[in-house]
Amino acid sequence: LRSAAQMISYELAMGLSTIGVLLLAGSLSLVDIVRAQEGAWFVLFQPVAFGIFMITALAETNRAPFDLPEAEAELVAGFHTEYSSLKFVLFFLGEFANVISISCIAVTLFLGGWNGPWLPESLQFLWFFAKLGAVLFFFIWVRWTFPRLRYDQLMNLGWKVLLPLSL
């Protein structure tokens, strides 16, 4: 129930925050979106959309402060108490793969993907991984810094702040 309520409260804002990027690029192709950012990254044109996307990305991946479905403090170790050994490892690898994939999407949509100065064309992928590392550091930093939101705070943030801002 917690997961369903959390998803409904932020998914709409996440979708609306990406519409501006799609309109600026004029395409749904990720390659075309990256090519459209050769002059300037879309985060410079749409910083509010980027902020909304990053906040909702934290909620999408169930990372603190949006880890209500897990709720380690309330449910011992969350629903992870049912798992051990290989199942436990695979479960956490899946969660971290989700964090990496949503970070890749953020880099592609807002931070210019693999575009960057000073490197030859064959080494442009290093820019992508550098930007990806910065976004992943943001995920870790937020987890270390902010406490978990209560359920009512999460609903207020999703419906009364993120949705109107994204509109």
Side-chain angles (χ1 to χ4, degrees):
L1 185 62
R2 287 179 177 192
S3 281
Q6 181 175 328
M7 269 193 338
I8 292 169
S9 69
Y10 67 79
E11 283 287 335
L12 190 56
M14 179 181 254
L16 289 172
S17 70
T18 60
I19 288 176
V21 169
L22 302 177
L23 290 173
L24 282 173
S27 175
L28 292 174
S29 169
L30 294 178
V31 174
D32 291 341
I33 291 171
V34 171
R35 286 185 185 141
Q37 297 181 69
E38 286 178 353
W41 298 347
F42 288 158
V43 70
L44 300 175
F45 299 119
Q46 297 194 348
V48 175
F50 178 68
I52 291 170
F53 186 85
M54 291 308 296
I55 290 169
T56 56
L58 288 167
E60 174 74 29
T61 56
N62 294 328
R63 304 293 290 171
F66 303 105
D67 56 346
L68 287 176
E70 190 174 297
E72 293 169 349
E74 301 163 16
L75 306 171
V76 184
F79 50 86
H80 304 120
T81 55
E82 304 295 325
Y83 301 102
S84 65
S85 71
L86 185 60
K87 290 179 184 176
F88 183 77
V89 169
L90 291 176
F91 191 76
F92 270 96
L93 283 176
E95 283 189 1
F96 287 117
N98 191 14
V99 171
I100 291 170
S101 64
I102 200 82
S103 298
C104 289
I105 293 170
V107 168
T108 303
L109 293 179
F110 290 99
L111 300 178
W114 55 83
N115 290 331
W118 308 305
L119 290 177
E121 189 71 30
S122 62
L123 296 177
Q124 287 291 312
F125 69 93
L126 294 176
W127 279 113
F128 184 85
F129 288 115
K131 295 172 191 177
L132 178 63
V135 173
L136 289 174
F137 176 77
F138 171 77
F139 270 82
I140 294 168
W141 174 74
V142 167
R143 184 171 179 85
W144 289 339
T145 306
F146 295 105
R148 178 182 300 118
L149 295 176
R150 290 189 327 257
Y151 181 75
D152 61 325
Q153 292 172 327
L154 175 65
M155 294 297 116
N156 283 335
L157 177 68
W159 292 109
K160 295 181 181 177
V161 177
L162 293 177
L163 184 61
L165 273 176
S166 63
L167 286 173

